[in-house]
Amino acid sequence: MGYRVAVIGATGNVGREMLSILSEREFPVDEVVALASERSVGRQVSFGEDDVLDVQDLAKFDFKGIDIVLSSPGAKVSAVHSPRAAKAGAVVIDNTSQFRMDPDVPLVVPEVNPQAIAQFSKKGIIANPNCSTIQMVVALKPLHALAKIRRVVVSTYQSVSGGGKEAMDELFNQTRAVYVNDPIVKEKFTKQIAFNVIPHIDVFMDDGSTKEEWKMMAETKKILDPAIKVVAHCVRVPVFIGHSEMVNIECENPISADEARAALKRAPGISVVDHRADEGYVTPVECAGEDLVYVSRIREDVTVENGLSFWVVADNLRKGAALNAVQIAEVLVKDGHLRKAA
C-alpha cells in the first residue's frame, strides 16, 4: 500500500520537478494530486512517462485523507494552505521561505540533519531550505565533522531558474533581443540579465545585505551549527539551471586539502570532481538534471589559519528544491513517522 500525495504549485518549475522525481524514485504512492491556483485549473501535468494529472484548484481542495503534501507555491500562498493541509492530518514538506525560521518547524537536509525530521509533529510542517543553502551545507557537513568550521565566506553564482519560469523566459527573451537589436525589456530582474551579472537577489535589508544573503547565514546556523559565522555574497548570473558557489572556510582544527577531499568523497550526496587540469571541475551545464552536489577545486587557503577553499555546483531545481523535499518524504516513510490517513 502506498501513500496519497498532493503537490502544491504543480505547474511551476519546482512542482513539475517534484512530480518527475516522485516517479523516478518510485516513491510509494497510491494517488498523486496536482494542485495550483484557479487560473491553472484544467491544465495537465505529467507524472512519470505515462501518467497525466489534471490540475485541481488549491483553494477548494479538501486535504482530508492526504498523507504527504509537497508544497512550492510561494510564501504567501503557503502561509495559508500549508497549515490548512497540516490541520487536515497531512505532513507538509514546504519549499517556500514561509516557515524556515519558525522554531517549531524543522529545517532539513537529509544528508546533514535527518534527525530534525522527528520535530515535525509540533506543526505538521517540515521546511525545505533555500536552494543555495542546501548545496552548501551538504558540502560543509563532512568538513565540519572533521575540523569544526568557525567561519564561512561564500560567493554564489545563481541561475535564473531560481526566480521561476518568468525569470528563465526573461533571460531567453533578452538574449534574443541582444542578437536582433530589439529593446531590452526588464520585468523580473532589476537590471539586464542577458550577458550580465546582478549582485542582488531578493530584497535589501537594513544592513545592506540582501535577504538571500541573510537566508544563507540564518539557515546554515539552524541546520548545521549556530556557532558558525557566515557571510554570503549572492549574485544572479545568465545561466538557466544550476547554482555555483565559491566557498572559503576557516576551521578550528587543522585540515589539509587531501583530508578534505577524502572526507567529501565519503559523504552521502556528494561527487568530488577535482582534477587540477583543463575541464577537471564541474560547471552548471554538467550538473543540470543531476541529483548530486559536485565539489571541485579543493585547495588550502594559506592566508588564514586552517583555511580551505572549494567550488560547489548543484541543480537548484532538483537537489536545491524538489529532490530534497522528496528525500525528506523518503525519510518519513523509512523511519516510520507517517501514519496512513484514514
Side-chain angles (χ1 to χ4, degrees), residues 30-64:
D30 278 344
E31 180 184 4
V32 179
V33 180
L35 303 173
S37 64
E38 184 180 10
R39 66 178 179 272
S40 294
V41 172
R43 293 175 60 182
Q44 293 185 322
V45 291
S46 298
F47 176 59
E49 294 183 0
D50 302 319
D51 293 333
V52 175
L53 307 177
D54 293 321
V55 176
Q56 300 183 42
D57 188 349
L58 169 62
K60 297 178 181 177
F61 186 74
D62 183 355
F63 287 97
K64 185 177 180 180

Side-chain angles (χ1 to χ4, degrees), residues 7-12 14-15 18 35-37 39 58 69-82 92-99:
V7 176
I8 299 177
T11 58
V14 174
M18 287 174 169
L35 303 173
S37 64
R39 66 178 179 272
L58 169 62
V69 173
L70 304 179
S71 179
S72 189
K76 290 182 180 180
V77 176
S78 189
V80 175
H81 295 288
S82 286
V92 180
I93 302 169
D94 190 278
N95 191 59
T96 75
S97 61
Q98 180 63 34
F99 301 99

Side-chain angles (χ1 to χ4, degrees), residues 125-181:
I125 298 172
I126 301 168
N128 223 27
N130 188 40
C131 47
S132 51
T133 303
I134 288 175
Q135 66 186 67
M136 184 174 75
V137 297
V138 168
L140 293 181
K141 170 71 173 182
L143 304 179
H144 188 51
L146 182 65
K148 195 172 183 181
I149 299 169
R150 287 178 172 173
R151 181 172 184 253
V152 178
V153 180
V154 56
S155 295
T156 73
Y157 310 85
Q158 296 179 226
S159 66
V160 295
S161 56
K165 182 180 182 300
E166 296 85 359
M168 297 176 75
D169 290 343
E170 188 160 319
L171 173 57
F172 179 87
N173 292 333
Q174 286 186 2
T175 303
R176 180 185 179 278
V178 169
Y179 280 111
V180 301
N181 202 30

Side-chain angles (χ1 to χ4, degrees), residues 201-214 231-232:
I201 302 177
D202 213 321
V203 298
F204 277 100
M205 304 184 73
D206 290 342
D207 66 353
S209 300
T210 62
K211 194 170 183 182
E212 184 81 359
E213 292 159 349
W214 174 84
V231 60

Side-chain angles (χ1 to χ4, degrees), residues 148-308:
K148 195 172 183 181
I149 299 169
R150 287 178 172 173
R151 181 172 184 253
V152 178
V153 180
V154 56
S155 295
T156 73
Y157 310 85
Q158 296 179 226
S159 66
V160 295
S161 56
K165 182 180 182 300
E166 296 85 359
M168 297 176 75
D169 290 343
E170 188 160 319
L171 173 57
F172 179 87
N173 292 333
Q174 286 186 2
T175 303
R176 180 185 179 278
V178 169
Y179 280 111
V180 301
N181 202 30
D182 279 349
I184 297 294
V185 178
K186 301 190 299 291
E187 293 179 347
K188 187 73 176 179
F189 297 108
T190 55
K191 299 212 175 192
Q192 175 182 321
I193 184 61
F195 303 98
N196 198 18
V197 296
I198 304 173
H200 176 191
I201 302 177
D202 213 321
V203 298
F204 277 100
M205 304 184 73
D206 290 342
D207 66 353
S209 300
T210 62
K211 194 170 183 182
E212 184 81 359
E213 292 159 349
W214 174 84
K215 288 175 190 174
M216 293 194 73
M217 178 275 295
E219 293 176 16
T220 299
K221 286 175 173 288
K222 183 174 180 179
I223 297 165
L224 192 57
D225 187 337
I228 293 178
K229 296 179 180 180
V230 180
V231 60
H233 317 93
C234 295
V235 180
R236 192 72 76 186
V237 297
V239 170
F240 283 106
I241 295 173
H243 287 356
S244 306
E245 300 172 347
M246 183 57 75
V247 184
N248 178 271
I249 62 173
E250 298 176 34
C251 299
E252 184 172 308
N253 302 311
I255 182 171
S256 69
D258 287 341
E259 290 170 331
R261 194 175 293 109
L264 289 162
K265 285 181 177 179
R266 293 191 299 267
I270 294 175
S271 176
V272 175
V273 181
D274 186 29
H275 308 290
R276 295 176 180 180
D278 295 350
E279 301 187 29
Y281 44 83
V282 178
T283 66
V285 170
E286 292 95 56
C287 81
E290 301 294 328
D291 291 345
L292 296 173
V293 171
Y294 294 88
V295 182
S296 306
R297 301 214 56 215
I298 304 164
R299 59 202 188 278
E300 292 158 27
D301 177 4
V302 298
T303 69
V304 294
E305 189 174 6
N306 305 328
L308 201 72

